Amino acid sequence: KMKEVVDQGDETVIPAASTAQVEAWNQVWRTTQFSDPPEEDEPSDEQLAALHSRVVTSQLVPYVDMGVWTAHGRRALRALKFRNWTLNPDGTYSSREMPGPGNFTQWTAAWRVFTVAMVMIGQATLQALEEYSRNLERLNMLYPDAWHLLYTADDRCRSVHISRIKRKCAADMAANAPAPPGFGASPWGIYFALAARDTKYWDQQVVQPALVWIARG
């Protein structure tokens, strides 16, 4: 089921990919990167089939729930969780467990698998996805105690905000604006790169809340 691999809220059942199809996806990586991916970054056959079904077949955003999209595929025994804190009207905070990686190290391990899978299915370039991850790395270094804010913003960006970026690009080009540099190199890579450069989004979703979080101790 899709919920076991990509999105815990998706009950869709997908067929397994054939051996030939999996080999074809792996060959894309070898052709572009001139080597096999590191073993710890290699997506499972189920992850590749699920992501391809979501992004290519169903034409949905390339969102993965990092509570279940983990390194080593099915070898991960249970979904990851992190503690999220939300600001109440009276100035106090409430906490609860949410699906997702508990720190940037866990996120990075899952992101590397996602990067390899996206390149294999021909939906993004390695450079664009690395630009996105470097942006999160920078914010994590600036606000190491606000991981819950950073991951929540990342999850929202990959599930919702990236669609807004795509629609805005389409509207701008329809109005005869020039295409963003690198547009057309891969279906989704440019949108991840533009998301990384969207300082207004990250300021509103991470920087300002993190400063309040730190100030309140």
Side-chain angles (χ1 to χ4, degrees):
K1 290 184 177 181
M2 192 76 80
K3 72 177 185 179
E4 298 171 351
V5 184
V6 169
D7 186 350
Q8 295 182 68
D10 190 342
E11 294 287 344
T12 305
V13 177
I14 58 170
S18 67
T19 301
Q21 179 61 79
V22 172
E23 176 55 30
W25 287 329
N26 277 270
Q27 187 57 43
V28 172
W29 178 271
R30 296 188 198 103
T31 301
T32 57
Q33 306 304 318
F34 309 105
S35 66
D36 289 322
E39 183 179 355
E40 62 271 19
D41 300 342
E42 189 173 355
S44 67
D45 296 355
E46 292 85 2
Q47 287 173 319
L48 283 168
L51 189 62
H52 184 272
S53 176
R54 180 181 181 90
V55 181
V56 179
T57 305
S58 299
Q59 295 291 297
L60 299 175
V61 296
Y63 169 76
V64 296
D65 176 349
M66 290 193 177
V68 291
W69 179 280
T70 60
H72 312 302
R74 285 188 172 181
R75 283 170 280 177
L77 299 179
R78 60 187 178 87
L80 297 176
K81 294 183 182 297
F82 74 103
R83 185 161 295 280
N84 191 27
W85 298 82
T86 54
L87 182 63
N88 300 319
D90 63 357
T92 61
Y93 284 88
S94 299
S95 70
R96 62 171 177 159
E97 280 196 335
M98 301 285 288
N103 52 56
F104 183 70
T105 300
Q106 290 182 348
W107 182 91
T108 300
W111 181 258
R112 287 174 177 168
V113 177
F114 175 74
T115 295
V116 174
M118 285 290 283
V119 172
M120 282 184 174
I121 66 173
Q123 294 297 302
T125 62
L126 184 62
Q127 292 77 8
L129 297 179
E130 285 182 343
E131 181 174 353
Y132 184 90
S133 66
R134 284 195 300 271
N135 179 58
L136 259 70
E137 181 180 20
R138 177 183 64 84
L139 290 168
N140 184 68
M141 290 178 65
L142 290 172
Y143 310 104
D145 297 324
W147 170 249
H148 63 289
L149 294 171
L150 181 51
Y151 177 66
T152 301
D154 160 63
D155 189 76
R156 184 180 296 118
C157 181
R158 293 183 293 104
S159 60
V160 178
H161 188 59
I162 201 167
S163 290
R164 297 194 188 103
I165 293 174
K166 183 180 180 182
R167 289 195 299 270
K168 185 178 185 303
C169 281
D172 289 348
M173 288 188 290
N176 295 320
F183 184 83
S186 62
W188 282 98
I190 185 60
Y191 304 124
F192 276 101
L194 291 174
R197 302 166 197 168
D198 190 349
T199 55
K200 181 179 178 181
Y201 174 83
W202 298 106
D203 184 62
Q204 291 177 342
Q205 298 297 323
V206 179
V207 176
Q208 294 179 24
L211 293 175
V212 173
W213 168 257
I214 294 168
R216 292 178 182 269

